Amino acid sequence: MKVEVKKVDALKRELNFEVPREKVTEAMDAVYHEIGKHAKVKGFRPGKVPRHILASSHGQLAKDETIKKIIPQAYHEGVTQHQLNPIDLPEITKVDLKDGVLTFTATLDIRPQIEVGPYKGIPIQRKKSDVTEEEVQKTLDFFKKGRSDQEVTIDDHFAKGMGFPSLEEFKTALKRQLENDKDRSNRIDIENQIVEELFKNAKLVVPQSLVKRQLHHRLNEALRRLKSQGLSEEDLKKKEEELRVQLGPEVEREVKIYLILEEIAKLENITPADQNESLPGKVMEFLLKEAKWTDNKQE
């Protein structure tokens, strides 16, 4: 088998395959053997149909199945032979079976070289999660405005309507909820600090095939939600381009941080405990433990 490798850019490779007649014949013989087991041809029992008759009735099927059988095997052999490390599934084009010889092209992105830079001891400023009486009062004022601009009296009767025995119990629960909200917000802020530092220190080229696949997935999700809200097909088409432009940089950022975290996982031998555990999440926990924490003095 001949495999010609062409470097398209830093990561993209184009592999041109030529599978010889002997391999194609061997694969096609196996395909015809399988077809012959089940083919129903008048005058013949299954498994006893002559090859030339099978070819006249099932020739296209045999050709298609032979191509489907050979391409994955040839592709695997080719990337192994040339010591390539694909990061995603290839794009297969220019498939041609002529005169017993199969040719096709596989375009793929190889895994980039990733220099993660320093990732231990990342400086993090931790915001406080304490909730002041003033913040609780602001939230109560929001409740007081009520609906339709009619002011609501915030008292024990109101608290009972919210499912609490007294106003004080309601205020305690409200304060706890506000603290939880702050905790979540602060956690996102802390992780963003980690990500920004990793971006600053890391060096890598982001594989566009991964970006393209993730963008396709995110677009489909967004368009499905919009469709469920009653948008017409025409409006969806307009929105699709807008979303593509909007989501593009965000998706590239997601792919980049995933690759950096994946590389750190390799360096630190971090593996998920089971299939339900997120690898990026586990690496982030490691980075948070290794970080250099300081409290934000401005709060």
Side-chain angles (χ1 to χ4, degrees):
M1 181 177 72
K2 293 181 185 176
V3 186
E4 179 190 83
V5 180
K6 179 183 174 185
K7 182 178 178 180
V8 179
D9 59 30
L11 297 180
K12 196 172 292 296
R13 301 290 182 271
E14 185 181 281
L15 279 64
N16 293 301
F17 288 81
E18 185 180 303
V19 183
R21 186 177 286 103
E22 311 86 73
K23 274 199 172 187
V24 175
T25 300
E26 183 184 333
M28 193 167 278
D29 286 346
V31 166
Y32 268 116
H33 179 71
E34 286 301 312
I35 291 173
K37 285 181 183 178
H38 310 287
K40 293 180 179 178
V41 179
K42 194 174 180 179
F44 297 96
R45 286 178 295 161
K48 300 296 182 181
V49 185
R51 170 71 173 264
H52 70 280
I53 292 177
L54 278 178
S56 64
S57 58
H58 295 78
Q60 189 58 50
L61 173 64
K63 181 180 177 181
D64 293 342
E65 290 300 312
T66 299
I67 290 170
K68 282 198 280 187
K69 186 181 179 73
I70 292 175
I71 286 180
Q73 297 171 351
Y75 171 75
H76 178 72
E77 189 180 321
V79 295
T80 302
Q81 177 188 332
H82 289 274
Q83 298 181 329
L84 298 173
N85 189 5
I87 199 165
D88 201 6
L89 294 172
E91 181 185 0
I92 305 295
T93 56
K94 301 177 186 175
V95 179
D96 188 29
L97 179 52
K98 188 177 179 181
D99 298 330
V101 176
L102 175 65
T103 57
F104 67 94
T105 297
T107 306
L108 59 98
D109 277 340
I110 58 171
R111 184 170 290 277
Q113 291 292 318
I114 302 173
E115 294 178 35
V116 293
Y119 57 87
K120 293 181 181 179
I122 290 176
I124 290 175
Q125 279 203 335
R126 173 171 37 200
K127 293 179 181 177
K128 293 179 181 177
S129 296
D130 299 340
V131 173
T132 65
E133 285 301 317
E134 184 184 355
E135 288 172 311
V136 173
Q137 191 57 51
K138 278 183 181 176
T139 308
L140 287 173
D141 289 343
F142 173 78
F143 282 113
K144 188 184 282 188
K145 287 178 184 176
R147 296 176 184 172
S148 307
D149 294 325
Q150 291 180 354
E151 194 164 298
V152 176
T153 303
I154 306 297
D155 55 13
D156 286 346
H157 178 72
F158 173 83
K160 285 175 182 175
M162 298 291 286
F164 296 89
S166 67
L167 179 58
E168 282 308 307
E169 292 274 0
F170 174 60
K171 287 172 72 174
T172 300
L174 180 59
K175 186 175 182 179
R176 194 180 302 120
Q177 181 60 52
L178 291 173
E179 285 172 348
N180 288 339
D181 291 345
K182 268 197 176 184
D183 274 339
R184 279 192 292 272
S185 176
N186 290 347
R187 170 67 186 227
I188 292 169
D189 177 69
I190 286 165
E191 291 189 358
N192 284 339
Q193 290 180 52
I194 292 274
V195 167
E196 289 307 320
E197 195 68 18
L198 292 175
F199 279 172
K200 190 168 75 177
N201 297 335
K203 294 179 182 175
L204 73 154
V205 178
V206 178
Q208 289 308 301
S209 62
L210 286 188
V211 175
K212 185 178 176 183
R213 186 176 70 177
Q214 181 65 4
L215 180 58
H216 179 73
H217 174 69
R218 289 282 300 277
L219 268 175
N220 281 347
E221 273 190 343
L223 291 171
R224 196 159 45 241
R225 282 197 302 271
L226 290 171
K227 190 173 184 179
S228 70
Q229 293 167 16
L231 258 69
S232 67
E233 289 297 328
E234 187 179 345
D235 287 338
L236 284 172
K237 283 180 183 176
K238 290 177 185 175
K239 196 69 178 172
E240 182 175 356
E241 196 49 45
E242 183 184 322
L243 283 168
R244 191 181 296 279
V245 173
Q246 179 188 325
L247 291 173
E250 187 182 319
V251 168
E252 183 147 348
R253 179 183 170 88
E254 287 173 3
V255 171
K256 186 176 182 180
I257 190 58
Y258 181 85
L259 292 172
I260 294 170
L261 293 175
E262 188 182 52
E263 187 66 20
I264 293 171
K266 287 180 190 173
L267 294 170
E268 296 293 335
N269 294 316
I270 298 171
T271 54
D274 56 53
Q275 61 182 6
N276 296 319
E277 188 172 35
S278 157
L279 178 64
K282 194 160 184 181
V283 177
M284 186 60 75
E285 290 298 331
F286 165 80
L287 294 172
L288 291 171
K289 285 177 188 173
E290 295 289 329
K292 190 182 292 181
W293 295 75
T294 57
D295 289 327
N296 193 328
K297 304 294 184 185
Q298 296 180 342
E299 292 197 299

